[in-house]
């Protein structure tokens, strides 16, 4: 294997690895707290980026949220308290996986409801097609038959 192939393999390997946006100055000294912060950050949506967690985002607001999560953990908040604080401050939209409660039950139920609705419509359509009477084509009139016979004899 040549050095070019090795270099190409290394570049490809580095390109497919996930790149996290957490800056070295954000990392906590306590590895247990840092792990908790990373887990919480993976479940919080960046409000600037679409469907990207604050752990992956390079946006300034995502950095502020990562720092906020770490500050709350250092102060002694539990994971639930940190999430509740962030949700209270930024709204339910900040959660990548919304909670199942009174305001989001329709969001969770929408997928299965649409699937059942589509299956019902499909079943009704197929059943209606199978029970439909075949359309009978009208035969040729006597005048048309005579004209056809004349054309065929020529």
């Amino acid at each position: 294997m040549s050095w070019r192939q090795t270099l190409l393999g290394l570049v490809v390997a580095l390109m497919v690895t996930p790149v996290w946006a957490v800056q070295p100055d954000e990392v906590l000294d306590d590895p247990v707290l840092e792990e908790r912060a990373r887990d919480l950050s993976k479940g919080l949506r960046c409000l600037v980026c679409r469907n990207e967690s604050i752990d992956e985002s390079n946006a300034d607001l995502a950095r502020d949220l990562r720092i906020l999560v770490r500050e709350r953990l250092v102060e002694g908040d539990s994971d639930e308290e940190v999430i509740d604080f962030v949700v209270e401050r930024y709204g339910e939209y900040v959660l990548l996986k919304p909670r199942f409660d009174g305001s989001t039950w329709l969001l969770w139920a929408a997928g299965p409801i649409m699937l059942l609705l589509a299956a019902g419509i499909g079943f009704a359509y197929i059943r209606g097609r199978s029970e439909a009477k075949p359309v009978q084509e009208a035969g040729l009139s006597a005048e048309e038959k005579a004209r056809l016979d004349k054309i065929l004899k020529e």
Side-chain angles (χ1 to χ4, degrees):
M1 182 182 285
S2 72
W3 66 273
R4 289 181 185 159
Q5 290 174 331
T6 306
L7 182 62
L8 179 64
L10 181 63
V11 168
V12 170
L14 289 175
M15 288 175 56
V16 297
T17 58
V19 178
W20 305 116
V22 177
Q23 303 297 319
D25 62 335
E26 297 175 30
V27 178
L28 297 173
D29 295 331
D30 185 0
V32 174
L33 281 180
E34 179 60 28
E35 183 65 30
R36 283 178 56 201
R38 294 299 288 263
D39 288 340
L40 291 175
S41 296
K42 290 175 185 172
L44 296 173
R45 180 188 322 269
C46 173
L47 299 172
V48 176
C49 313
R50 296 283 171 136
N51 290 330
E52 191 173 16
S53 73
I54 63 171
D55 197 48
E56 301 165 335
S57 176
N58 288 321
D60 290 336
L61 182 59
R63 176 180 165 79
D64 293 343
L65 282 171
R66 287 192 304 265
I67 292 171
L68 175 70
V69 166
R70 284 167 172 75
E71 286 173 355
R72 301 298 296 186
L73 288 174
V74 169
E75 289 178 16
D77 288 358
S78 69
D79 293 355
E80 293 79 24
E81 290 173 334
V82 172
I83 295 296
D84 289 341
F85 178 81
V86 173
V87 167
E88 182 180 316
R89 197 168 193 187
Y90 295 99
E92 192 80 23
Y93 180 74
V94 78
L95 298 176
L96 279 173
K97 184 178 177 187
R99 298 174 178 163
F100 187 78
D101 60 11
S103 63
T104 60
W105 71 268
L106 184 60
L107 174 68
W108 283 98
I113 288 172
M114 292 297 194
L115 178 66
L116 292 174
L117 183 64
I121 291 171
F123 179 75
Y125 176 76
I126 291 172
R127 185 172 178 109
R129 296 263 312 173
S130 66
E131 292 178 358
K133 295 179 182 175
V135 178
Q136 294 184 359
E137 295 181 17
L140 296 175
S141 67
E143 187 179 305
E144 291 171 334
K145 282 184 183 180
R147 185 165 182 244
L148 181 62
D149 286 338
K150 182 180 174 184
I151 292 173
L152 288 175
K153 287 180 184 178
E154 292 178 0

